Structure formats: C-alpha cells, structure tokens
C-alpha cells in the first residue's frame, strides 16, 4: 500500500503487468510475433524464443523492484498457490548473478504431495508440474522490501492430469470458442477470425473492525458467525444499500483500486450492498481465462490490504444469520473478432438470427445439463445462502424477459424482429430521457439474460469463478454444437443458412423450454412445477456435488475434452471432502464457544441474579415472581445448552468412522439441525445476559465501522 502516491490511475495502470504493450517494447519483432501467435494458439513458442522472453521478463521485473519469481497457479482448494524463487544467485566465483531462463519460465516442479488429490496419489508421489499459461500476462506483486514476479500457470500431475481449476477452464473455453466460430462460418460469417468468451464478476464481501472481529472464534476460524442475536437495527430499512461509503471503507477501496490498477485490473463499480458492512466491487469484462485470474488477484489484494487497514474481510456466503448473503454474480457473453457481442439483440435480420441462434444454444444446453451448474456452486457457504435474502434458489432456470419470451413464442410464425425499445420520458425538462430494458429484472432467477449477456447469480462470494465458468462454457459449447448440426442438416436439403438457423433456433427453444421461467422462483408453486419439469434432481448439497458424476454429465464433459473421467472423480471427491471438513470445523468451533464462553456467561449471570435475590432478602419489592421466573429461565437455558453440547460432542465423535460422503450426509441431516437449535438458544440467552458478561462482540458492535 503506497499512501503517498497520488498519480492518476491512468498513469499507473498496468505498470506491474508484463502484457503485450510491454512485450512489444522489450522484444524484437520476430520474437514478439511468435509470442502473439502462441497466445492466440496458432503456434508453439520455441525454446530459443522462450529464453529471449524470459530474459526480457527478468530485466523488466528487476527494474520494477522484484527479487523473486513464482509460477502462480490455482489448485483445487479454490485459492492460489505460489513457490517463490530468487532471481539472484552466485556464480562459481561467488559473484551475484541474476538467473531466469526459458525453461524456468515454461515449466516448474512444485511439490504436489499436499495439494488435494482425493486419494488419487500417495503422499510419496509428490511430482507435479506447473506450466506457463502464455495467454494470461505475468504480473508483479509488490512487497515492503521488493516484489514477486507471478507467472500464471496450469498445474498438472506427472501423467498430464489436471490438478487445478485453470486447465479444465482453458479446455472448456476452447471448446466453446471453436464451436462458436464454426457456427458463425456456417452462417456465412467467413471473415470472422476468432470468438472470445468474455466474463465479468461482481464480488460481494463484508468488512468488520479487525480487533473486534478477532475476539470471535467463529469469525477467526470459520469466516462467519455461528451464534448472534439480531440487532435492533438491521437491514430492514435498507438505509445501507447504495448509501454513502464510510470514510474508513472508502480509504480501503481506494487502495485496493490503485493496487489493482497497477496489475491492469479495472474496477467498474464500488458501492454499499444491502446489509450493514456489506460492499461490492465489480471488475471490467475480459476474456474468460483472464477474468478468472483477475478475480483471484482481486480477492488476494483485498485480503492483503484489509489487514493493513485493520479490517476483517469476510468472503463467506452467509456470515450473519438473518441478513443478506454474499454472492459473486458472474456475467458471460461471446464477442467475435470484429468486436461484436453475439448476445446483443439487433433489428438487422441477419445479425438478429445470429443472436437468436446463440441464445437458443444456451437454452438447449442448460435444459439438458443444468445440473452441472448446481454442482459448480455446491459448497458449504451456499448451503446457508441460496434461496433467501435475494440469493436465487438452487433450482436452475433461465429468465429472458417479456420481450424475448414473446419473441420466442412468435418464432413459429418466422417473425424474428425484436421490437424497438422505447424511450422512457421522465416528465421533467431538467432530466434526460432514458432507454429502458424491455422488462424489469427478476432477482429470483439463477440465470438471467440482462440485455447483452447472461448473468449467473448462484456462485458464492468465496468461490473461484473458474468452475462455474467452466461448466457454463461446456454447456454452451454443447448447445452450439447441437444447433450447428441442426443447421447443417437443413442446409443439406438446400435451405438457406439463415432460414435454417431460424428454424434450428425454433427447434432448440422448443426442446429446451422446460428451463425457461419468468415468475417468482421463491414460491412453492415453482418448486412443485420445477419438479414436474424434471429440474430438481438433488435437494442437499452432497446430492448436488454428486451430480458431477451423473453419467450423461461425465460423457458430455469427456466428449468436449474438458474433464477426463478420473479428473472429474477427483474433483467430486475433493469438493465432498471440503464441504464435510468445513462443516465439521464449524461444529467443533461452536462446541468450544459453548463451553468457553456461553455457558460460563450464563453461570455468571445466574450467580449475579441469585446474589441479588439473597442480598435484598426482607425488602418488599412486591411480586418477585417475574424475577424468579427469569432466574429459573437462565438455569433451564444453561441445562438445555449443556445437554445440546454433550449431544454435539457425541455426534462429532461418530464422524471419525465415516467416509467423506457419509460425513457430508450426517452433517447435513443431523449435526447442522442441532447446531441451528443451539444457535437459537444461544441467541435467546444473549438477549438476557448483561453486555459486560456476554463473552463475544454482539452483532450491534460487529456491524459498525468507525470513521
């Protein structure tokens, strides 16, 4: 954090990024052309050119103050990993030299033994390879005494199997982009050179005063509160939403923005979210792979600077009971080499048919493989978030809006003209007219078309967006392939490609119509209707993780080359283990908080009240029954919590004999309901115990940030 630097963002933007602009300046034209071709996937970078790139990258990084370099990769923990290695070494005479060659840049070998592998490799089988992802630029993370050159990389086992989230992402994006290009050429768009998937994420989060938050074991170890009574003023009045940003938070946001600007990450928006102490960043759309990298960089930067600002950052999907949860709405689209968004509606007949074709491919793919999106967002945080406080339900459906829905209904008449949007007159001469969207937003829809993109609203705030994007891209790729086959089959009989495309879109929408829903997805009526449509295949989080291994899902991902069968099995096992272990830790922390804090507080309050009763013996206070009832209630509450604590301890003990799948079910069906009952009793006790006796900072104090 450099608080004394006030240069405009435009002057520092990308200064720590080894991107095309820097490479063009540092490399000779022939090597630069090779690098660009490798980035675009048209040829490999030869070792001699890699040496030249490495030398230029090293000199540039050292000139920026970097002392170390690292392959920066994304293991299946959903976090990032890096092993720092110094540039400076000694030669045979003991003199310092800076070393970084092409083979260092291209490949590394970090110890892979302790990364999640779902038991697919023994601890002594430690070999893992990190390999440079040339499509995502290297960057420098500054530190107080230097900095580290981070090289985005994939992470593979010795047999080439993916041990990360980036490798399947790259495969899925490639599958979608290549099929999208083929579809465009089928429709006569011969001049298009490539198609790129674009992604933009909206990162929600909470900020608390760090010294205060660290007094709570649940926040320290679980990232959320396991107990806590509702404050008198919560979010019901919606005063916080889009309100003035607190000065302390604004200073933090500005530092995050400046650090990200140096890394070439543009933040489009910052604002207060619905709940108190909840905020949001949204970063600029970019190519899918880079967008996933940038979201991880954003989260890492936020963590680092939160500590510097004495703030506690919470990415958990549901840190406070009864309050708004945090998601990571992920927006997805396709852009061709001419810069045209393929999901942008048009009044031009040809362009509009292309739009409808790609739209219908999403509908068709989602109708068949919607369960992969459920599996992609199935984590312990979303167990508490999805389905409440503006988070969408976990039943996947698509909302298109009234105009598009009407248009799709009229496709049978071969009318593909989108009505021209009107102008909304605000009725005041001093205010401009605005062009509205064709319909209001549906906040209950997990997947919504929002004008020129799809917004997937179910991903949780703590997640890497890599897996949700991988599954969305795979589903879309399958849909595009099916629509292309439909068009080709019609063209064989002499049908004009555009007419064939319109007919194929009509068929795809008809086949995929069960996934479309325009109403309130919170209602019981929709739940029953979704079940009739076959959209509910799993109820619990463990069952949703199991959807990864559904035979037709496995077959589709294998056919696209996104996941090999054993890679998908490993992913399933790791996510199941992570889910179960996370909840088991929460149960252990709650047990400790009961015995270390809540039960002693009840004892202190009981002693205080009983002493008061004895101390005033003989003084007539009138009817003392309410007082005695209060003391009796405290005693009963303590007894009930001791009983529950003992039951929780006994149930936790059973977990040791279970495998991960059994643990997950047992936690969801037995332990989580018990923890919920314990929470209710603790929250009731909190309201009846003196503030100076209650052992943990309460919601009212936690959800307050001083200037």
């Amino acid at each position: 954090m450099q608080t004394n630097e006030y240069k405009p963002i435009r002057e520092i933007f990308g200064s720590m990024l080894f991107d095309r602009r820097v490479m063009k300046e540092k490399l000779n034209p022939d090597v630069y052309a090779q690098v660009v071709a490798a980035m675009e996937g048209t040829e490999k970078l030869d070792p001699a050119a890699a040496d030249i790139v490495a030398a230029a990258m090293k000199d540039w990084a050292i000139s920026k103050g970097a002392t170390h370099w690292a392959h920066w990769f994304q293991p299946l923990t959903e976090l990032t990993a890096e092993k720092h290695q110094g540039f400076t070494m000694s030669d045979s005479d003991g003199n310092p030299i800076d070393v970084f060659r092409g083979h260092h840049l291209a490949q590394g070998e970090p110890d892979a033994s302790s990364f999640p592998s779902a038991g697919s490799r023994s601890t002594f089988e430690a070999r893992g390879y990190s390999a440079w992802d040339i499509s995502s630029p290297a960057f420098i993370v500054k530190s107080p005494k230097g900095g580290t050159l981070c090289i985005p990389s994939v992470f593979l086992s010795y047999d080439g199997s993916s041990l990360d989230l980036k490798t399947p992402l790259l495969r899925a994006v490639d599958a979608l982009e290549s099929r999208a290009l083929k579809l465009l050429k089928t429709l006569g768009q011969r001049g298009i050179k490539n198609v790129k998937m674009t992604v933009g994420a909206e990162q929600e989060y909470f900020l608390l005063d760090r010294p205060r938050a660290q007094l709570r074991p649940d926040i320290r170890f679980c990232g959320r509160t396991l107990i806590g009574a509702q404050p008198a003023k919560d979010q019901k009045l919606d005063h916080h939403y889009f309100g003035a940003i607190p000065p302390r938070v604004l200073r933090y946001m500005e530092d995050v923005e400046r650090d990200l600007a140096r890394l070439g990450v543009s933040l489009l928006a910052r604002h207060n979210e619905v709940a108190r102490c909840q905020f949001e960043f949204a970063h600029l759309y970019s190519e899918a792979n880079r967008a996933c990298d940038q979201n991880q960089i954003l989260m890492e930067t936020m963590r680092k600077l939160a500590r510097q600002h004495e703030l506690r950052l919470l990415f958990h999907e549901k840190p406070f009971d009864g309050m708004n949860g945090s998601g990571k709405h992920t927006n997805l689209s396709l852009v061709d080499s001419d810069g045209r968004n393929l999901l942008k509606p048009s009044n031009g007949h040809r362009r509009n048919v292309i739009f409808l074709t790609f739209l219908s491919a999403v509908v068709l793919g989602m109708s068949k493989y919607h369960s992969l999106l459920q599996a992609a967002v199935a984590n312990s945080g979303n167990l508490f978030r999805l389905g409440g406080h503006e988070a969408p339900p976990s039943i996947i459906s698509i909302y298109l809006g009234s105009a598009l829905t009407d248009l799709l209904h009229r496709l049978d008449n071969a009318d593909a003209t989108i009505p021209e949007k009107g102008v909304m007159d605000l009725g005041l001469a001093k205010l401009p007219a605005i062009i509205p969207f064709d319909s209001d937003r549906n906040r209950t829809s997990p997947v919504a078309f929002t004008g020129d993109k799809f917004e997937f609203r179910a991903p949780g705030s703590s997640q890497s967006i890599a897996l949700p994007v991988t599954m969305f891209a795979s589903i879309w790729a399958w849909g595009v392939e099916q629509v292309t086959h439909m068009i080709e089959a019609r063209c064989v009989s002499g049908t004009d490609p555009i007419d064939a495309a319109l007919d194929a879109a009509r068929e795809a929408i008809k086949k995929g119509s069960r996934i479309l829903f325009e109403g309130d997805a919170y209602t019981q009526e929709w739940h029953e209707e979704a079940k009739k449509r076959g959209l509910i295949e799993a109820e619990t989080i463990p069952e949703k993780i199991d959807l990864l291994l559904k035979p037709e899902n496995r077959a589709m991902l294998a056919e696209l080359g996104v996941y090999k069968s054993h890679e998908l099995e490993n992913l399933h096992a790791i996510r199941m283990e992570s889910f179960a272990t996370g909840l088991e830790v929460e149960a252990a922390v709650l047990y400790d908080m009961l015995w270390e804090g809540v039960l002693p507080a009840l004892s202190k309050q009981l002693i205080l009240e009983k002493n008061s009763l004895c101390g005033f013996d003989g003084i007539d206070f009138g009817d003392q029954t309410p007082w005695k009832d209060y003391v009796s209630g405290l005693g009963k509450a303590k007894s009930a919590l001791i009983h529950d604590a003992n039951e929780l301890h006994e149930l936790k003990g059973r977990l040791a004999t279970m495998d991960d799948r059994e643990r997950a079910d047992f936690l969801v069906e037995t332990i989580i309901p018990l923890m919920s009952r314990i929470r209710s009793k603790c929250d009731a006790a909190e309201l009846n115990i003196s503030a100076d006796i209650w052992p943990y900072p309460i919601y009212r104090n936690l959800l307050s940030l001083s200037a």
Side-chain angles (χ1 to χ4, degrees):
M1 180 176 63
Q2 300 180 23
T3 55
N4 294 324
E5 183 180 357
Y6 295 103
K7 293 181 180 178
I9 291 290
R10 65 170 60 247
E11 292 185 18
I12 63 173
F13 190 84
S15 59
M16 296 296 166
L17 192 68
F18 194 77
D19 56 7
R20 291 195 186 195
R21 172 181 51 85
V22 177
M23 286 190 286
K24 191 170 185 178
E25 176 188 334
K26 303 292 183 183
L27 302 174
N28 68 58
D30 290 340
V31 172
Y32 176 71
Q34 278 196 53
V35 172
V36 171
M39 292 172 69
E40 295 176 350
T42 58
E43 65 177 73
K44 299 283 187 182
L45 190 68
D46 65 55
D51 279 334
I52 295 172
V53 174
M57 193 180 289
K58 175 200 68 179
D59 292 343
W60 170 82
I62 291 174
S63 73
K64 296 288 186 179
T67 58
H68 289 70
W69 63 273
H71 277 187
W72 181 83
F73 56 97
Q74 301 175 39
L76 294 170
T77 58
E78 296 205 76
L79 300 172
T80 62
E82 55 199 55
K83 176 183 177 182
H84 295 191
Q85 300 184 75
F87 283 119
T88 304
M89 301 181 184
S90 59
D91 63 15
S92 57
D93 296 325
N95 299 312
I97 57 171
D98 294 323
V99 178
F100 183 64
R101 299 188 175 90
H103 68 273
H104 297 130
L105 172 62
Q107 181 177 304
E109 191 181 335
D111 185 345
S113 61
S114 295
F115 287 108
S117 67
S120 63
R121 40 199 285 120
S122 303
T123 302
F124 64 83
E125 296 174 327
R127 192 178 296 278
Y129 294 107
S130 55
W132 178 29
D133 171 18
I134 197 170
S135 64
S136 189
F139 56 93
I140 295 173
V141 175
K142 295 293 289 180
S143 56
K145 296 183 180 180
T148 302
L149 171 68
C150 294
I151 303 160
S153 304
V154 297
F155 188 44
L156 306 168
S157 69
Y158 72 97
D159 64 355
S161 299
S162 69
L163 296 173
D164 65 346
L165 293 172
K166 180 186 274 279
T167 301
L169 170 69
L170 291 171
R171 296 169 180 167
V173 170
D174 181 67
L176 173 59
E177 293 177 351
S178 62
R179 284 160 177 78
L181 183 61
K182 180 180 178 181
L183 176 52
L184 285 176
K185 292 188 180 300
T186 301
L187 297 178
Q189 303 293 296
R190 302 292 178 184
I192 302 301
K193 296 178 181 178
N194 58 61
V195 177
K196 298 297 181 183
M197 185 183 193
T198 60
V199 173
E202 304 168 22
Q203 180 69 62
E204 294 180 341
Y205 58 96
F206 280 80
L207 286 173
L208 308 177
D209 177 74
R210 185 176 184 83
R212 198 179 299 151
Q214 291 298 92
L215 296 174
R216 292 195 56 128
D218 47 4
I219 290 179
R220 286 171 58 200
F221 298 115
C222 308
R224 78 177 185 106
T225 58
L226 300 175
I227 59 176
Q230 293 295 302
K233 182 181 178 182
D234 53 17
Q235 68 183 52
K236 291 186 179 68
L237 296 176
D238 294 329
H239 286 168
H240 192 259
Y241 193 47
F242 281 10
I245 299 172
R248 183 179 181 186
V249 175
L250 186 58
R251 290 194 293 271
Y252 165 75
M253 287 179 166
E254 289 172 339
D255 281 342
V256 170
E257 287 175 333
R258 297 186 74 79
D259 270 22
L260 289 172
R262 296 183 184 95
L263 300 176
V265 181
S266 299
L267 292 181
L268 281 174
R270 66 189 189 198
H271 61 85
N272 289 3
E273 255 300 335
V274 175
R276 291 170 60 191
C277 292
Q278 187 187 32
F279 308 93
E280 179 179 304
F281 280 129
H283 49 80
L284 185 67
Y285 295 86
S286 57
E287 294 179 16
N289 180 38
R290 285 195 63 183
C292 292
D293 284 356
Q294 288 180 349
N295 185 250
Q296 290 285 20
I297 292 169
L298 167 64
M299 295 173 76
E300 289 180 5
T301 302
M302 291 173 67
R303 290 187 186 100
K304 177 182 69 176
L305 291 178
R307 289 190 289 270
Q308 293 183 20
H309 282 260
E310 280 296 284
L311 294 168
R312 180 62 163 89
L313 174 67
L314 301 182
F315 282 132
H316 194 283
E317 285 76 10
K318 197 70 173 177
F320 296 98
D321 188 51
M323 296 177 61
N324 202 59
S326 293
K328 189 173 334 200
H329 300 181
T330 304
N331 301 278
L332 312 102
S333 191
L334 288 171
V335 176
D336 66 23
S337 55
D338 288 343
R340 290 177 295 196
N341 185 339
L342 300 180
L343 283 182
K344 188 173 181 62
S346 170
N347 284 317
H349 180 67
R350 180 175 291 270
R351 295 299 307 169
N352 207 41
V353 170
I354 291 174
F355 156 69
L356 289 171
T357 304
F358 281 95
L359 180 85
S360 66
V362 174
V363 174
L364 179 63
M366 206 75 70
S367 175
K368 187 170 178 63
Y369 295 107
H370 58 90
S371 60
L372 282 174
L373 291 189
Q374 284 189 305
V377 299
N379 67 2
S380 58
N382 267 343
L383 171 68
F384 304 102
R385 166 184 170 253
L386 291 181
H389 290 283
E390 291 196 9
S394 60
I395 304 168
I396 300 298
S397 63
I398 297 177
Y399 171 79
L400 296 177
S402 58
L404 268 180
T405 301
D406 179 61
L407 171 65
L408 296 176
H409 288 156
R410 291 188 289 110
L411 274 181
D412 284 335
N413 299 320
D415 178 4
T417 301
I418 291 184
E420 186 175 351
K421 293 187 175 93
V423 174
M424 182 184 293
D425 186 356
L426 300 182
L428 293 172
K430 293 183 179 180
L431 295 179
I434 63 172
I435 300 176
F437 286 104
D438 67 88
S439 63
D440 205 353
R441 297 182 70 185
N442 187 335
R443 303 290 294 178
T444 71
S445 178
V447 179
F449 182 73
T450 55
D452 59 359
K453 63 188 185 302
F454 278 101
E455 180 183 32
F456 184 26
R457 302 183 62 247
S461 53
S462 69
Q463 286 191 261
S464 162
I465 60 173
L467 187 60
V469 172
T470 296
M471 295 310 180
F472 200 106
S474 300
I475 291 168
W476 202 352
W478 180 87
V480 168
E481 188 169 62
Q482 299 307 306
V483 170
T484 302
H485 291 333
M486 294 177 191
I487 295 171
E488 290 174 335
R490 287 162 172 79
C491 289
V492 168
S493 62
T495 305
D496 178 80
I498 294 300
D499 292 337
L502 190 57
D503 193 37
R506 180 187 301 113
E507 182 181 347
I509 291 294
K510 187 175 182 179
K511 287 183 176 180
S513 60
R514 69 171 183 155
I515 201 73
L516 300 176
F517 182 66
E518 301 294 303
D520 184 351
Y522 284 156
T523 63
Q524 183 60 32
E525 289 80 7
W526 165 237
H527 191 277
E528 294 168 359
E529 173 63 22
K531 188 171 290 187
K532 291 178 184 176
R533 296 187 188 186
L535 297 177
I536 300 179
E537 301 179 34
E539 295 283 357
T540 68
I541 294 290
E543 290 172 352
K544 290 168 186 172
I545 297 174
D546 283 342
L547 294 173
L548 288 170
L549 301 184
K550 185 179 175 184
E552 64 182 32
N553 290 343
R554 295 177 71 150
M556 185 270 281
L557 292 170
E559 287 169 7
L560 291 177
V562 175
Y563 275 103
K564 301 171 187 174
S565 183
H566 69 277
E567 291 174 337
L568 202 59
E569 290 170 359
N570 291 345
L571 176 68
H572 167 269
I574 289 167
R575 290 182 70 78
M576 193 69 73
E577 179 186 21
S578 176
F579 172 78
T581 302
L583 293 182
E584 188 173 354
V585 168
E586 291 188 358
V589 170
L590 178 59
Y591 178 81
D592 290 343
M593 291 179 73
L594 282 173
W595 283 108
E596 294 172 0
V598 176
L599 291 171
L602 278 164
S603 296
K604 291 178 184 177
Q605 190 72 31
L606 274 167
I607 293 171
L608 177 67
E609 297 299 339
K610 287 181 178 179
N611 287 342
S612 297
L613 280 171
C614 296
F616 291 123
D617 189 39
I619 300 177
D620 184 11
F621 286 107
D623 184 7
Q624 296 185 20
T625 301
W627 193 349
K628 292 179 179 179
D629 287 345
Y630 164 61
V631 175
S632 175
L634 290 175
K636 290 177 180 178
K638 181 177 179 180
S639 296
L641 282 173
I642 290 174
H643 176 274
D644 289 344
N646 290 334
E647 183 180 358
L648 181 60
H649 181 69
E650 188 272 328
L651 293 177
K652 284 198 309 102
R654 297 188 201 175
L655 295 171
T657 63
M658 301 177 184
D659 62 28
D660 290 334
R661 186 63 178 79
E662 291 171 328
R663 278 200 305 153
D665 281 339
F666 190 72
L667 282 157
V668 169
E669 296 167 3
T670 305
I671 292 184
I672 295 301
L674 174 60
M675 292 174 65
S676 179
R677 295 194 297 272
I678 291 173
R679 176 174 198 138
S680 295
K681 293 172 184 176
C682 288
D683 294 353
E686 178 189 316
L687 298 175
N688 287 280
I689 291 180
S690 173
D692 62 341
I693 293 177
W694 189 252
Y696 308 115
I698 61 176
Y699 273 24
R700 182 181 67 229
N701 296 332
L702 279 174
L703 296 167
S704 175
L705 285 170
S706 59

